[in-house]
Amino acid sequence: MSTTSALRGPKLTDGGLMLFRVAGVPVLLSPSWWVGAVIIVLLYTPLVGRILPGAGVWGSALIAAAFTVLLAGSVLLHELGHCLVALRYGLPVRRIRLFLLGGLSEVSRAPTRPGQEGLVAAAGPAVSVVLAAATGLGWLTLAPGGAVWLLVAQTCVANLAVAVFNVLPGLPLDGGRMLRALTWSLTGRRSTGTTAGVVGAGVVAVGLIAWALAGLLNDTRDQWLRLAVCVLMAWFVIAGAGAEHAAEQRRRWPDGVDLPDLIRPVLQLPAESPVADALVAAAGRGVVLVRADGIAVGLLDQSAAERLATFTPHEPAERAAEPVDPDTILLDSDPPDAVLERVQNVLAWQFLVIDQEGRPSGVLRREDLRAALRGRARRG
């Protein structure tokens, strides 16, 4: 937990209520979580009343509310499993969100290898299995009956359900990601793995609805809770699979286009060059600004240079430089899909392309890649 967050207390963000940070990653409680909590309490309270007749209505509701909190904690630990493994592989995690009946670890950059994807996906269900085993031991040691016994038992069952549900082979579930990783490994194409995961999502959604209908037909004690959960989860799977498919389409490099077709020639200029002169030299090219000691200051930011040149054309071009850092450097031998992934996930409008010996070979501008993607979309 971050000390600063603890002192300031929870605060509202665009993703919900921020509770705390883990390894620098903010944990947020989405507004939809409260909706899910109310649904669980309303549907679970009658079930508690039937299992513990002496609890009464308010006692049953309190037990249902406690179970909702324990379920949220279990989901959080599940997501932390994903988060910590992703961080171990150097994949930045933007935030963890708890929402409705689940959670989401927002990894800012997709894994570059199928093995990474598979292990990050498997970490969450592994945590849920461990939690189920731990609470299962408590369930066996406690005397049957009573609120504590019921909460421990239901937490065990819930973690087993979370583990089983998440390993179902459909995106965006963990099992769908593991299926994508396996297919990606076998075919060498991430897009093929995504297609397999989307197809699996359809099968999972149909299976969920069929299981809910079976509960209604057999008049099971939890039929309405099962129906609500299955409908919500089927919707979640279908919507998530659609989002994964759309993201994969955006991740595909334009057919018939090579990286050299998009990169602009690069020119090196002294950092102290007048910004107006640097703009003239930059026509159709990328400009690397270099100090007298040979250290590159950055790439000339054309928009910033134009604003500066309007009022002070003799100012050093260095004042309109965009820094070059490891995230904005591309190798001319990088696979096209890796280049596209980098451009989509790094907030920069131009990227320096270097050869195997570290020499600048060109500049790739975001706008040029976007134009190629739009051209592919029009052809499609």
Side-chain angles (χ1 to χ4, degrees):
M1 178 185 294
S2 167
T3 303
T4 304
S5 296
L7 291 175
R8 292 180 179 174
K11 64 179 181 180
L12 290 172
T13 70
D14 61 343
L17 183 69
M18 191 174 86
L19 303 178
F20 47 81
R21 292 176 182 268
V22 177
V25 178
V27 176
L28 307 179
L29 196 63
S30 170
S32 67
W33 181 86
W34 299 99
V35 176
V38 170
I39 292 173
I40 292 177
V41 171
L42 290 176
L43 294 177
Y44 188 52
T45 296
L47 182 61
V48 174
R50 288 196 293 269
I51 298 174
L52 301 176
V57 175
W58 292 110
S60 298
L62 184 61
I63 293 172
F67 170 68
T68 303
V69 174
L70 289 172
L71 178 60
S74 298
V75 171
L76 173 58
L77 291 174
H78 176 105
E79 294 304 323
L80 284 175
H82 294 307
C83 173
L84 295 178
V85 174
L87 293 174
R88 175 67 179 80
Y89 282 119
L91 302 173
V93 181
R94 181 186 175 204
R95 60 187 179 181
I96 294 174
R97 280 197 303 144
L98 303 181
F99 60 91
L100 206 54
L101 297 178
L104 179 66
S105 300
E106 299 182 11
V107 181
S108 301
R109 190 167 64 244
T112 57
R113 294 191 297 275
Q116 291 181 353
E117 170 114 37
L119 288 174
V120 171
V127 170
S128 295
V129 169
V130 171
L131 291 174
T135 50
L137 289 175
W139 184 6
L140 292 174
T141 56
L142 290 171
V148 175
W149 169 82
L150 181 59
L151 284 173
V152 171
Q154 291 296 329
T155 302
C156 173
V157 173
N159 275 287
L160 278 176
V162 168
V164 171
F165 175 70
N166 274 280
V167 297
L168 294 177
L171 288 169
L173 302 175
D174 300 329
R177 298 186 186 281
M178 288 187 276
L179 174 61
R180 174 164 62 190
L182 177 61
T183 308
W184 180 6
S185 177
L186 293 175
T187 64
R189 294 178 62 86
R190 178 188 169 93
S191 59
T192 304
T194 298
T195 300
V198 170
V199 172
V203 175
V204 168
V206 170
L208 286 168
I209 298 301
W211 188 57
L213 293 176
L216 291 176
L217 293 175
N218 295 322
D219 196 27
T220 57
R221 289 200 300 177
D222 64 344
Q223 57 183 316
W224 298 112
L225 178 61
R226 184 191 298 189
L227 178 64
V229 171
C230 285
V231 169
L232 285 171
M233 288 304 183
W235 168 80
F236 169 75
V237 168
I238 293 299
E244 289 282 351
H245 178 71
E248 192 64 51
Q249 293 298 108
R250 292 192 299 270
R251 194 178 285 115
R252 286 179 50 209
W253 185 264
D255 294 331
V257 177
D258 296 323
L259 181 59
D261 299 331
L262 297 179
I263 64 174
R264 301 187 180 204
V266 65
L267 174 69
Q268 295 190 34
L269 286 179
E272 63 273 13
S273 301
V275 66
D277 294 345
L279 274 174
V280 173
R285 293 183 285 191
V287 175
V288 179
L289 299 172
V290 183
R291 292 190 183 134
D293 56 8
I295 297 176
V297 175
L299 295 171
L300 183 71
D301 184 331
Q302 187 162 345
S303 298
E306 289 172 352
R307 290 193 298 270
L308 184 62
T310 301
F311 302 102
T312 52
H314 298 293
E315 283 291 317
E318 180 177 357
R319 291 192 54 191
E322 182 178 13
V324 175
D325 57 44
D327 283 340
T328 59
I329 296 177
L330 302 169
L331 281 173
D332 58 9
S333 59
D334 282 341
D337 287 347
V339 172
L340 182 56
E341 183 81 25
R342 177 75 64 83
V343 173
Q344 290 179 336
N345 287 293
V346 176
L347 296 177
W349 75 278
Q350 57 183 344
F351 297 77
L352 180 63
V353 182
I354 62 174
D355 61 21
Q356 294 295 328
E357 297 180 4
R359 296 172 301 194
S361 59
V363 170
L364 174 65
R365 292 188 177 175
R366 181 183 296 273
E367 62 193 49
D368 295 335
L369 183 53
R370 281 179 175 171
L373 291 171
R374 286 195 298 268
R376 181 189 67 189
R378 284 195 296 268
R379 290 192 300 272

mmCIF file of all heavy atoms in Angstrom, residues 42-64:
data_model
loop_
_atom_site.group_PDB
_atom_site.id
_atom_site.type_symbol
_atom_site.label_atom_id
_atom_site.label_comp_id
_atom_site.label_asym_id
_atom_site.label_seq_id
_atom_site.Cartn_x
_atom_site.Cartn_y
_atom_site.Cartn_z
ATOM 1 N N LEU A 42 -29.198 -9.332 -2.538
ATOM 2 C CA LEU A 42 -30.632 -9.589 -2.718
ATOM 3 C C LEU A 42 -30.910 -11.052 -3.068
ATOM 4 O O LEU A 42 -31.873 -11.649 -2.570
ATOM 5 C CB LEU A 42 -31.194 -8.675 -3.806
ATOM 6 C CG LEU A 42 -31.295 -7.183 -3.457
ATOM 7 C CD1 LEU A 42 -31.781 -6.388 -4.663
ATOM 8 C CD2 LEU A 42 -32.228 -6.959 -2.263
ATOM 9 N N LEU A 43 -30.060 -11.621 -3.933
ATOM 10 C CA LEU A 43 -30.311 -12.991 -4.371
ATOM 11 C C LEU A 43 -29.759 -14.037 -3.397
ATOM 12 O O LEU A 43 -30.284 -15.154 -3.327
ATOM 13 C CB LEU A 43 -29.698 -13.205 -5.764
ATOM 14 C CG LEU A 43 -30.330 -12.394 -6.896
ATOM 15 C CD1 LEU A 43 -29.583 -12.636 -8.202
ATOM 16 C CD2 LEU A 43 -31.802 -12.754 -7.062
ATOM 17 N N TYR A 44 -28.728 -13.673 -2.636
ATOM 18 C CA TYR A 44 -28.088 -14.631 -1.740
ATOM 19 C C TYR A 44 -28.770 -14.688 -0.368
ATOM 20 O O TYR A 44 -28.728 -15.711 0.307
ATOM 21 C CB TYR A 44 -26.608 -14.249 -1.587
ATOM 22 C CG TYR A 44 -25.767 -15.259 -0.849
ATOM 23 C CD1 TYR A 44 -25.763 -16.601 -1.213
ATOM 24 C CD2 TYR A 44 -24.975 -14.877 0.224
ATOM 25 C CE1 TYR A 44 -24.996 -17.527 -0.537
ATOM 26 C CE2 TYR A 44 -24.195 -15.789 0.907
ATOM 27 C CZ TYR A 44 -24.213 -17.120 0.520
ATOM 28 O OH TYR A 44 -23.454 -18.040 1.199
ATOM 29 N N THR A 45 -29.422 -13.597 0.027
ATOM 30 C CA THR A 45 -30.065 -13.554 1.346
ATOM 31 C C THR A 45 -31.100 -14.668 1.540
ATOM 32 O O THR A 45 -31.084 -15.359 2.580
ATOM 33 C CB THR A 45 -30.710 -12.171 1.583
ATOM 34 O OG1 THR A 45 -29.674 -11.171 1.606
ATOM 35 C CG2 THR A 45 -31.458 -12.142 2.911
ATOM 36 N N PRO A 46 -32.014 -14.900 0.581
ATOM 37 C CA PRO A 46 -32.967 -16.008 0.780
ATOM 38 C C PRO A 46 -32.281 -17.368 0.888
ATOM 39 O O PRO A 46 -32.736 -18.232 1.657
ATOM 40 C CB PRO A 46 -33.853 -15.936 -0.473
ATOM 41 C CG PRO A 46 -33.698 -14.552 -0.979
ATOM 42 C CD PRO A 46 -32.297 -14.159 -0.657
ATOM 43 N N LEU A 47 -31.196 -17.571 0.147
ATOM 44 C CA LEU A 47 -30.476 -18.844 0.212
ATOM 45 C C LEU A 47 -29.871 -19.051 1.602
ATOM 46 O O LEU A 47 -29.923 -20.146 2.170
ATOM 47 C CB LEU A 47 -29.392 -18.868 -0.867
ATOM 48 C CG LEU A 47 -28.560 -20.154 -0.973
ATOM 49 C CD1 LEU A 47 -29.457 -21.345 -1.310
ATOM 50 C CD2 LEU A 47 -27.461 -19.994 -2.025
ATOM 51 N N VAL A 48 -29.317 -17.966 2.187
ATOM 52 C CA VAL A 48 -28.770 -18.048 3.545
ATOM 53 C C VAL A 48 -29.882 -18.386 4.533
ATOM 54 O O VAL A 48 -29.704 -19.208 5.445
ATOM 55 C CB VAL A 48 -28.090 -16.718 3.932
ATOM 56 C CG1 VAL A 48 -27.652 -16.748 5.403
ATOM 57 C CG2 VAL A 48 -26.888 -16.445 3.040
ATOM 58 N N GLY A 49 -31.051 -17.776 4.331
ATOM 59 C CA GLY A 49 -32.178 -18.047 5.220
ATOM 60 C C GLY A 49 -32.604 -19.497 5.197
ATOM 61 O O GLY A 49 -33.018 -20.048 6.240
ATOM 62 N N ARG A 50 -32.496 -20.138 4.033
ATOM 63 C CA ARG A 50 -32.876 -21.554 3.956
ATOM 64 C C ARG A 50 -31.819 -22.456 4.586
ATOM 65 O O ARG A 50 -32.139 -23.488 5.178
ATOM 66 C CB ARG A 50 -33.101 -21.945 2.490
ATOM 67 C CG ARG A 50 -34.369 -21.356 1.896
ATOM 68 C CD ARG A 50 -34.748 -22.071 0.598
ATOM 69 N NE ARG A 50 -33.788 -21.831 -0.460
ATOM 70 C CZ ARG A 50 -33.877 -20.838 -1.333
ATOM 71 N NH1 ARG A 50 -34.891 -19.965 -1.244
ATOM 72 N NH2 ARG A 50 -32.982 -20.680 -2.292
ATOM 73 N N ILE A 51 -30.523 -22.076 4.450
ATOM 74 C CA ILE A 51 -29.450 -22.893 5.022
ATOM 75 C C ILE A 51 -29.364 -22.695 6.535
ATOM 76 O O ILE A 51 -29.138 -23.655 7.291
ATOM 77 C CB ILE A 51 -28.104 -22.546 4.353
ATOM 78 C CG1 ILE A 51 -28.166 -22.869 2.853
ATOM 79 C CG2 ILE A 51 -26.955 -23.309 5.003
ATOM 80 C CD1 ILE A 51 -26.939 -22.429 2.081
ATOM 81 N N LEU A 52 -29.562 -21.444 6.988
ATOM 82 C CA LEU A 52 -29.522 -21.117 8.422
ATOM 83 C C LEU A 52 -30.861 -20.504 8.820
ATOM 84 O O LEU A 52 -30.986 -19.274 8.903
ATOM 85 C CB LEU A 52 -28.376 -20.133 8.719
ATOM 86 C CG LEU A 52 -26.953 -20.561 8.358
ATOM 87 C CD1 LEU A 52 -25.966 -19.435 8.620
ATOM 88 C CD2 LEU A 52 -26.554 -21.805 9.130
ATOM 89 N N PRO A 53 -31.866 -21.310 9.065
ATOM 90 C CA PRO A 53 -33.209 -20.785 9.350
ATOM 91 C C PRO A 53 -33.251 -19.845 10.551
ATOM 92 O O PRO A 53 -34.093 -18.948 10.616
ATOM 93 C CB PRO A 53 -34.042 -22.051 9.609
ATOM 94 C CG PRO A 53 -33.274 -23.163 8.957
ATOM 95 C CD PRO A 53 -31.846 -22.785 9.075
ATOM 96 N N GLY A 54 -32.352 -20.026 11.497
ATOM 97 C CA GLY A 54 -32.387 -19.194 12.688
ATOM 98 C C GLY A 54 -31.750 -17.829 12.512
ATOM 99 O O GLY A 54 -31.769 -17.017 13.442
ATOM 100 N N ALA A 55 -31.172 -17.543 11.366
ATOM 101 C CA ALA A 55 -30.463 -16.270 11.181
ATOM 102 C C ALA A 55 -31.409 -15.090 11.076
ATOM 103 O O ALA A 55 -31.045 -13.959 11.418
ATOM 104 C CB ALA A 55 -29.578 -16.343 9.937
ATOM 105 N N GLY A 56 -32.630 -15.306 10.586
ATOM 106 C CA GLY A 56 -33.552 -14.195 10.384
ATOM 107 C C GLY A 56 -33.205 -13.432 9.125
ATOM 108 O O GLY A 56 -32.143 -13.618 8.517
ATOM 109 N N VAL A 57 -34.113 -12.532 8.730
ATOM 110 C CA VAL A 57 -33.924 -11.788 7.485
ATOM 111 C C VAL A 57 -32.702 -10.884 7.553
ATOM 112 O O VAL A 57 -31.844 -10.889 6.659
ATOM 113 C CB VAL A 57 -35.186 -10.951 7.164
ATOM 114 C CG1 VAL A 57 -34.944 -10.071 5.940
ATOM 115 C CG2 VAL A 57 -36.392 -11.857 6.942
ATOM 116 N N TRP A 58 -32.583 -10.090 8.626
ATOM 117 C CA TRP A 58 -31.466 -9.151 8.714
ATOM 118 C C TRP A 58 -30.141 -9.872 8.932
ATOM 119 O O TRP A 58 -29.107 -9.469 8.388
ATOM 120 C CB TRP A 58 -31.717 -8.139 9.825
ATOM 121 C CG TRP A 58 -32.847 -7.213 9.503
ATOM 122 C CD1 TRP A 58 -34.076 -7.172 10.099
ATOM 123 C CD2 TRP A 58 -32.859 -6.229 8.486
ATOM 124 N NE1 TRP A 58 -34.868 -6.222 9.522
ATOM 125 C CE2 TRP A 58 -34.143 -5.613 8.513
ATOM 126 C CE3 TRP A 58 -31.940 -5.793 7.530
ATOM 127 C CZ2 TRP A 58 -34.509 -4.596 7.649
ATOM 128 C CZ3 TRP A 58 -32.303 -4.775 6.653
ATOM 129 C CH2 TRP A 58 -33.564 -4.188 6.714
ATOM 130 N N GLY A 59 -30.171 -10.942 9.707
ATOM 131 C CA GLY A 59 -28.956 -11.731 9.884
ATOM 132 C C GLY A 59 -28.499 -12.353 8.580
ATOM 133 O O GLY A 59 -27.296 -12.373 8.258
ATOM 134 N N SER A 60 -29.455 -12.850 7.804
ATOM 135 C CA SER A 60 -29.129 -13.439 6.497
ATOM 136 C C SER A 60 -28.561 -12.383 5.559
ATOM 137 O O SER A 60 -27.609 -12.635 4.814
ATOM 138 C CB SER A 60 -30.381 -14.078 5.889
ATOM 139 O OG SER A 60 -30.860 -15.126 6.693
ATOM 140 N N ALA A 61 -29.157 -11.183 5.581
ATOM 141 C CA ALA A 61 -28.664 -10.094 4.727
ATOM 142 C C ALA A 61 -27.245 -9.697 5.128
ATOM 143 O O ALA A 61 -26.400 -9.399 4.263
ATOM 144 C CB ALA A 61 -29.600 -8.894 4.820
ATOM 145 N N LEU A 62 -26.961 -9.671 6.436
ATOM 146 C CA LEU A 62 -25.614 -9.313 6.904
ATOM 147 C C LEU A 62 -24.597 -10.361 6.460
ATOM 148 O O LEU A 62 -23.478 -10.020 6.020
ATOM 149 C CB LEU A 62 -25.617 -9.192 8.427
ATOM 150 C CG LEU A 62 -24.300 -8.726 9.064
ATOM 151 C CD1 LEU A 62 -23.926 -7.347 8.560
ATOM 152 C CD2 LEU A 62 -24.430 -8.724 10.588
ATOM 153 N N ILE A 63 -24.971 -11.638 6.544
ATOM 154 C CA ILE A 63 -24.079 -12.699 6.079
ATOM 155 C C ILE A 63 -23.855 -12.591 4.581
ATOM 156 O O ILE A 63 -22.719 -12.752 4.086
ATOM 157 C CB ILE A 63 -24.658 -14.079 6.446
ATOM 158 C CG1 ILE A 63 -24.662 -14.258 7.967
ATOM 159 C CG2 ILE A 63 -23.857 -15.199 5.782
ATOM 160 C CD1 ILE A 63 -25.393 -15.501 8.441
ATOM 161 N N ALA A 64 -24.920 -12.278 3.829
ATOM 162 C CA ALA A 64 -24.791 -12.107 2.380
ATOM 163 C C ALA A 64 -23.866 -10.943 2.041
ATOM 164 O O ALA A 64 -23.049 -11.023 1.117
ATOM 165 C CB ALA A 64 -26.173 -11.881 1.760
#
